[in-house]
């Protein structure tokens, strides 16, 4: 029963843990969470009975001081003051081994204010702000609404890790990486936006990289069944200019691959948008999926 109670506390199922504790007390068993010991002799606990008296007690160290992490954007000054007081009370409760009260305050902070406490780093923060954007090392800074979505996912990942649901935590990490190009550093508790693998954003100052995409192009759908099409008149004009008319001046059809057809020009293709390139590929019976650089290479080859 003691082991089951500990597993419930680890899973933050305090209601079941308290029910098991009541059953133990009814059977004459007293459990001391601070000492991690139990007894059923009817005697009171004494600090001198602790086996490792050489280790300094928490009382001798005093309560730990906690600091706020992140700006607390959604919190008012009054709420920050209340949270700070609750975190301090929790620290004092832990210092005197009143873990039941400490757990109550922890749950209150999470349910009422969406606040998490990091005991190892002696910090408290909104779940969405526990991991902060590292603007210096990021390829670019996302818009505010995108940062909010990223922060929400990061908060969900923190809760998943606390519940030991590591599969869910890994899924959220992968979602952040694939949908937002976000990489997480759990040691420094920050995140950055990275450039797409094998490419860089258009407008970067680095030279010599031919595989360049714009943010808009990177977000284009790769689905082969995409119904995005370019304006028909624009595509027809380009086809006529670059590929040549399907008939010669005398109205005689020019066979595919005839040397009289105009060759595809890389510079002209680079000037087109992704939907326009896909339309040309479709007219030639070629695969239309992929990034812009892949589409151009497919046309040139």
């Amino acid at each position: 029963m003691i082991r089951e109670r500990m597993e419930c506390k680890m899973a933050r199922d305090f209601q079941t843990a308290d029910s098991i504790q009541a059953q133990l007390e009814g059977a004459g068993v007293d459990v001391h969470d601070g000492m991690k010991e139990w007894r059923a002799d009817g005697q009171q606990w004494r600090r001198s009975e602790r086996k490792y008296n050489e280790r300094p007690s928490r009382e001798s160290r005093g309560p730990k001081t906690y600091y706020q992490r992140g700006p607390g954007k959604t919190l008012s000054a009054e709420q920050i003051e209340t949270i700070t007081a609750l975190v301090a009370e929790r620290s004092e409760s832990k210092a005197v081994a009143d873990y039941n009260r400490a757990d109550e305050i922890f749950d209150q902070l999470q349910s009422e204010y969406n606040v998490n406490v990091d005991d190892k780093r002696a910090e408290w923060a909104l779940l969405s702000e526990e991991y902060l954007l590292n603007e210096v090392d990021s390829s670019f800074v996302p818009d505010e609404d995108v940062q909010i979505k990223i922060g929400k996912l990061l908060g969900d990942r923190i809760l998943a890790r606390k519940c030991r649901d590591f599969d869910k935590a890994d899924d959220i990490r992968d979602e952040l990486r694939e949908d937002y190009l976000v990489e997480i550093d759990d040691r420094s508790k920050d995140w950055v936006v990275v450039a797409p693998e094998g490419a860089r954003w258009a407008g970067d100052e680095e030279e010599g990289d031919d595989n360049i995409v714009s943010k808009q192009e990177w977000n284009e759908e790769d689905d082969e069944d995409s119904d995005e099409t370019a304006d028909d008149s624009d595509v027809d004009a380009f086809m006529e200019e670059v590929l040549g008319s399907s008939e010669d001046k005398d109205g005689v059809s020019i066979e595919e691959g005839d040397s009289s057809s105009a060759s595809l020009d890389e510079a002209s293709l680079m000037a087109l948008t992704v939907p326009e390139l896909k339309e040309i590929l479709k007219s030639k019976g070629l695969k239309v999926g992929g990034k812009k650089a892949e589409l151009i290479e497919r046309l040139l080859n």
Side-chain angles (χ1 to χ4, degrees):
M1 291 181 70
I2 293 175
R3 178 178 178 178
E4 183 181 356
R5 175 175 175 270
M6 180 61 66
E7 290 174 349
C8 289
K9 287 174 68 68
M10 292 289 290
R12 313 208 68 76
D13 184 1
F14 300 112
Q15 184 175 359
T16 303
D18 290 343
S19 175
I20 294 173
Q21 182 178 356
Q23 295 179 49
L24 289 168
E25 290 175 350
V29 175
D30 188 12
V31 180
H32 196 298
D33 290 324
M35 295 183 178
K36 298 188 185 304
E37 297 174 359
W38 64 272
R39 67 191 308 163
D41 56 5
Q43 300 298 314
Q44 297 294 318
W45 290 101
R46 292 180 299 173
R47 176 60 63 177
S48 59
E49 293 175 351
R50 178 69 173 174
K51 293 181 180 179
Y52 305 103
N53 287 325
E54 69 277 4
R55 183 177 178 180
S57 66
R58 187 172 294 274
E59 289 88 342
S60 66
R61 295 198 300 268
K64 186 184 295 185
T65 301
Y66 288 73
Y67 300 91
Q68 179 182 349
R69 178 176 176 81
K73 291 181 181 179
T74 61
L75 298 173
S76 65
E78 182 178 355
Q79 286 175 320
I80 291 177
E81 184 177 351
T82 300
I83 292 168
T84 302
L86 285 171
V87 171
E89 182 185 350
R90 177 177 178 272
S91 180
E92 292 170 358
S93 298
K94 286 170 66 69
V96 296
D98 187 357
Y99 298 109
N100 288 333
R101 176 56 182 158
D103 289 340
E104 289 174 2
I105 296 174
F106 184 92
D107 291 340
Q108 180 183 356
L109 288 167
Q110 196 168 98
S111 61
E112 293 185 17
Y113 301 101
N114 208 30
V115 162
N116 185 50
V117 182
D118 186 335
D119 291 315
K120 188 174 182 179
R121 296 170 64 109
E123 294 175 339
W124 69 265
L126 287 170
L127 278 169
S128 59
E129 293 180 353
E130 188 161 338
Y131 282 66
L132 301 176
L133 169 62
N134 181 345
E135 296 187 9
V136 175
D137 295 333
S138 289
S139 294
F140 71 96
V141 176
D143 294 337
E144 187 68 25
D145 58 336
V146 177
Q147 291 188 44
I148 292 173
K149 293 178 182 177
I150 293 172
K152 173 65 168 57
L153 286 170
L154 289 167
D156 291 342
R157 180 173 178 267
I158 292 170
L159 293 178
R161 285 159 62 91
K162 280 186 171 295
C163 294
R164 299 182 179 275
D165 189 349
F166 298 112
D167 288 339
K168 180 178 180 180
D170 289 344
D171 289 342
I172 295 173
R173 179 201 59 200
D174 293 341
E175 180 182 353
L176 286 165
R177 182 179 295 153
E178 294 169 7
D179 293 353
Y180 298 98
L181 298 176
V182 164
E183 291 291 345
I184 306 168
D185 188 333
D186 289 315
R187 299 182 68 179
S188 59
K189 295 179 74 171
D190 62 15
W191 57 273
V192 298
V193 179
V194 299
E197 185 176 355
R200 63 182 175 83
W201 298 126
D204 285 356
E205 297 179 356
E206 298 178 8
E207 299 294 339
D209 189 349
D210 295 331
N211 188 14
I212 302 174
V213 296
S214 68
K215 295 183 180 69
Q216 179 181 356
E217 290 165 347
W218 177 258
N219 291 322
E220 292 279 3
E221 289 291 334
D222 292 337
D223 195 335
E224 293 185 14
D225 298 327
S226 173
D227 58 358
E228 290 187 60
T229 57
D231 184 86
D232 291 339
S233 61
D234 292 341
V235 175
D236 291 342
F238 175 80
M239 294 284 283
E240 182 129 1
E241 177 183 349
V242 177
L243 301 181
S245 173
S246 60
E247 297 184 351
D248 61 16
K249 293 181 181 179
D250 297 326
V252 180
S253 176
I254 298 176
E255 296 296 334
E256 183 176 355
D258 193 303
S259 59
S260 61
S261 298
S263 62
L264 296 176
D265 178 73
E266 183 175 2
S268 299
L269 294 175
M270 286 292 295
L272 297 178
T273 65
V274 170
E276 290 171 342
L277 290 170
K278 290 183 177 181
E279 186 68 19
I280 298 171
L281 285 162
K282 189 184 298 182
S283 70
K284 295 173 70 66
L286 298 174
K287 181 181 176 181
V288 297
K291 302 301 179 187
K292 185 171 184 178
E294 297 171 341
L295 305 183
I296 293 174
E297 182 180 0
R298 198 171 298 141
L299 284 170
L300 292 175
N301 293 334

